[in-house]
Amino acid sequence: LSLHDALPIYVEHPIYALMEADTVRIDLLAELADDYKCQYIILNKAKKTEGDPAEYGLEKIGEVEGYDVFRNVNVPVLKKEQTLP
């Protein structure tokens, strides 16, 4: 048994895969963000994107050193004692 055989199989997360593409499709990213209850998306400004984030419920809330920060308005922001439905 080799070390490689003993390690778990790595599976790339679908959101990560979309964000690593040459062009980030905002429509697909927003759909997955909803499915995974992802409240925030951070996009590299240097990445080419296709689609308007605002049209898909991604509200720009700030910028940090070359990145745009969006809040997914389709997923509620919960207080500490709340849980997702």
Side-chain angles (χ1 to χ4, degrees):
L1 183 66
S2 72
L3 177 60
H4 177 64
D5 293 332
L7 294 175
I9 297 172
Y10 174 75
V11 177
E12 188 172 72
H13 194 283
I15 291 177
Y16 178 81
L18 275 177
M19 293 178 74
E20 285 298 305
D22 291 336
T23 300
V24 179
R25 286 191 47 192
I26 300 299
D27 59 338
L28 298 178
L29 181 61
E31 183 179 338
L32 283 178
D34 291 349
D35 291 348
Y36 283 96
K37 306 291 187 218
C38 182
Q39 296 174 332
Y40 298 94
I41 297 287
I42 301 171
L43 291 175
N44 187 332
K45 288 182 176 190
K47 273 294 217 193
K48 183 178 176 184
T49 59
E50 182 181 301
D52 179 7
E55 287 183 24
Y56 298 98
L58 301 177
E59 173 187 7
K60 186 173 176 181
I61 60 171
E63 299 176 22
V64 179
E65 298 183 18
Y67 293 87
D68 288 326
V69 181
F70 297 90
R71 187 178 94 63
N72 183 358
V73 299
N74 297 321
V75 177
V77 175
L78 303 176
K79 294 182 180 179
K80 194 174 184 176
E81 63 276 356
Q82 293 176 304
T83 59
L84 286 171

